[in-house]
Each structure stands twice: as structure tokens, then as C-alpha cells.
Amino acid sequence: MSPAWLEPEIARLRGAYAAGRLPHALLIHEAPGAGGEWLAGWVARLVLCTSPREGAPCGHCAACQRAAQEQHPDLTVIRPVETSTQIRIEQVRELAAELTLTAHQGGYKVGILSPADSMNRFAANALLKTLEEPPQATLLILVASQPSRLPPTILSRCQRVRVRAPQQADAVAWLEAARGAGDWERVLAVLGMAPMTAAAADPAAVVEVAAEVRHGLEEAAEGGGDPVATAERWARSELPLRLACVENWLTERIRGRLVGHAVFTEVRAGTHLRGHGDSLDLRQLFGLLDTVRELKSSFDAPINRGLALESLLRALGTRGA
Ligand SMILES: [Zn+2]
């Protein structure tokens, strides 16, 4: 089942392909976890499918099935390797060499780079050569949630496709079809409107971790708990998920504080503010939010996450001005 929120882009791409107007390079600019890579795979199947064009991608032919498993000889998918967070120049060179070969199937050769904004400068330069002089019948698909990190010379050579975060109802419907029943509303509230990220997660575990983090934060905000033990535990397991939970919690508190000053009242935020609404001021909350976001973006940096979390928990418990 294709995600409902991608239908407009799917229709546009199908039309372009039928009219022979598909460009050599697409940049799929996605909201994080909203399905950019899914759409890239769909486009690959669209051009590799051996059924008549109007029915492509059929999903049944050998080409569709091989492409879906990333086993098609005319499809190359590049991602950061293992623990690396970057796509490296050697990977791009291999892709470029592959694209110059004759297609096994006699049609398109497709290269997908995901996330393309994880290319380092050298890799991006290497890709530029292919983008400037694309071999016949090649299609490069770049998937990125932060395309501004790519050089303008790359961006200007790609046709942009926008994938926005879905409405919750569409995301939940798709998750139920893909993964079965689960508390997907709560999972999406924790992970953000990122159904593809949610699909790869264990919904029960996400809900459990979120509840535990919430409890730890409430406790710390009351000046209680054991910041050292809590920080060590959080740093050891499910850290990215926990940081997302901390970020959400802080954002809710900031929103609650802002709403308190506005004419509007928001019942949802009120439940988390009960009892300790005055402990931290807005500036401190924003400061903590910056700290969390820094931690989130520095997974491969050699910093002591346990210590950073501990000071964050302690800061929550201190009384502000
Ligand atoms: Zn097919």
C-alpha cells in the first residue's frame, strides 16, 4: 500500500515518466521519516518495471521484486556504511562507474543516495561530475531532509520533489496496514510525525521508554530522583529515543508556558505542568532544549553523554529566577 500522503507526488512522477519528461536527477526533500526513501524506491521500480508503462510499477514482475529488495542489477543504493554517518567519496565513485555501464536490462540505470545530505564535501564533488554529464538513461535520486547542507551546484542540477510530514490519521492508517495494530498515536507523538521511523520501531517499547523518561524528568523537576543513576541508564540504552522524548517534554513545557501568557488555553500541555510550573523560566527551558538538540546532533562526537544528561537533570531541579 502506498502512503496516502505521497499520492500527489506519485501521480506527478508517473505523469512525467509516461510523457518521457523524467529528469536525470531528482532531489526528494523529505520531512524526517516521512517517506522520502520509500518514494525513491517507488521511482526506481517505476523505471525498472518490465510491465507496460501505464501499469508501472506493477509490483509483480521480477524487476519490481528485485528492485524492492535492492537486488536489481541496474539499481545501486548508497547509504552511510555501518557506524559512519557520512557517505564517502569511494562510494560515490563506485556509483558513478556503475552508471556508465550498459544497463543489464537494456533500460534505465538508477542510483539512490540516502541520506544525500550525509555526503561529505569530497563525495559531493565527485557526484557533481556525474550530474553535469549524466550517462544516457540514468536516474539519480537524492533523498535529504536537510538539502541546504548540499552544495548549490548539486541542488541546481536536481529537480526537487517535496515530501511533507503526513496528517496523523494518514500516518496511523499506513502504520496499521504496514505493521498491524499498535498505539501508533502515542508512538508518533514521541517520534514526531515520522511514520517511516515509527514503522521500524517496536511500538510497545517506544511507549514504555517514553513513559519512563517522562517520569524521570518529572522527578528531576521536583528536585528528586537520582540524576547520576538516571543519566547513566539513559546514556546506555535507547539514547536517541530518550533524547527525542526529552526534547518533546521540554517543548511541551515551553508551549505550556507561552500559552499561559496568551489568551488561548491549551488543556493538553497543562497535565505536564502540574505542581512545578514555576521552577524554571522560559530562557532556562530554551537553554536546556539547545543542550538536548546538541546532544542529538553529536552522536559520533566523543563527548560524555552521561555527564551531559546528568547536568541537564540537575538543571531541571534547580529553582530559576
Ligand atoms: Zn513490475
Side-chain angles (χ1 to χ4, degrees), residues 34-60:
E37 206 174 281
W38 188 96
L39 188 60
W42 182 88
V43 178
R45 296 196 296 281
L46 174 73
V47 301
L48 293 172
C49 177
T50 50
S51 295
R53 274 197 179 203
E54 50 277 14
C58 71
H60 308 299

Side-chain angles (χ1 to χ4, degrees), residues 166-191:
Q167 299 292 312
Q168 175 165 291
D170 287 342
V172 169
W174 183 80
L175 281 163
E176 280 174 348
R179 289 280 319 270
D183 194 351
W184 297 114
E185 282 91 352
R186 274 177 76 189
V187 172
L188 291 169
V190 174
L191 299 175

Side-chain angles (χ1 to χ4, degrees), residues 4-319:
W5 63 95
L6 296 181
E7 288 297 344
E9 297 308 333
I10 285 174
R12 244 190 298 276
L13 288 160
R14 185 175 265 139
Y17 179 58
R21 285 187 288 100
L22 210 57
H24 284 295
L26 291 171
L27 169 70
I28 299 179
H29 177 189
E30 65 157 359
E37 206 174 281
W38 188 96
L39 188 60
W42 182 88
V43 178
R45 296 196 296 281
L46 174 73
V47 301
L48 293 172
C49 177
T50 50
S51 295
R53 274 197 179 203
E54 50 277 14
C58 71
H60 308 299
C61 71
C64 275
Q65 294 192 354
R66 281 197 200 125
Q69 290 162 10
E70 298 181 5
Q71 303 283 337
H72 196 292
D74 294 324
L75 170 64
T76 309
V77 183
I78 293 188
R79 298 187 183 89
V81 182
E82 289 168 1
T83 56
S84 172
T85 55
Q86 292 188 337
I87 289 178
R88 297 176 191 284
I89 185 168
E90 305 82 56
Q91 295 176 275
V92 173
R93 282 192 182 136
E94 276 167 32
L95 170 67
E98 180 62 38
L99 292 177
T100 60
L101 302 177
T102 311
H104 293 256
Q105 207 177 265
Y108 266 91
K109 287 193 80 77
V110 184
I112 296 176
L113 294 101
S114 179
D117 43 7
S118 72
M119 273 190 291
N120 63 29
R121 192 158 46 92
F122 306 107
N125 275 338
L127 184 70
L128 190 56
K129 295 199 184 88
T130 305
L131 283 172
E132 280 168 343
E133 292 165 33
Q136 274 297 310
T138 56
L139 176 60
L140 273 170
I141 309 172
L142 285 66
V143 182
S145 55
Q146 291 178 280
S148 58
R149 290 168 63 177
L150 290 165
T153 43
I154 295 236
L155 298 178
S156 65
R157 285 173 173 82
C158 299
Q159 194 175 101
R160 202 176 286 223
V161 178
R162 193 76 169 91
V163 171
R164 295 177 201 284
Q167 299 292 312
Q168 175 165 291
D170 287 342
V172 169
W174 183 80
L175 281 163
E176 280 174 348
R179 289 280 319 270
D183 194 351
W184 297 114
E185 282 91 352
R186 274 177 76 189
V187 172
L188 291 169
V190 174
L191 299 175
M193 205 44 71
M196 301 301 163
T197 315
D202 171 354
V206 169
V207 170
E208 194 185 313
V209 168
E212 196 217 313
V213 169
R214 165 142 292 176
H215 175 75
L217 292 168
E218 308 258 323
E219 209 173 40
E222 301 282 4
D226 180 348
V228 179
T230 306
E232 273 177 12
R233 199 172 64 246
W234 289 6
R236 254 200 321 271
S237 85
E238 303 280 6
L239 182 63
L241 175 58
R242 289 179 198 277
L243 289 176
C245 296
V246 177
E247 187 181 1
N248 287 344
W249 188 83
L250 286 167
T251 309
E252 277 171 16
R253 287 189 61 144
I254 289 170
R255 195 183 295 141
R257 203 62 62 81
L258 292 173
V259 166
H261 292 294
V263 187
F264 310 102
T265 52
E266 190 173 286
V267 180
R268 200 166 74 88
T271 51
H272 318 301
L273 298 167
R274 205 178 23 194
H276 45 78
D278 298 317
S279 60
L280 287 170
D281 68 17
L282 263 178
R283 208 177 45 167
Q284 286 171 304
L285 286 172
F286 275 115
L288 292 175
L289 194 56
D290 282 344
T291 308
V292 174
R293 287 180 175 159
E294 239 163 72
L295 273 170
K296 277 179 78 183
S297 64
S298 60
F299 280 126
D300 48 339
I303 52 164
N304 192 326
R305 297 186 189 91
L307 273 182
L309 282 170
E310 186 191 325
S311 64
L312 187 135
L313 288 166
R314 287 194 196 283
L316 273 179
T318 55
R319 295 260 148 195

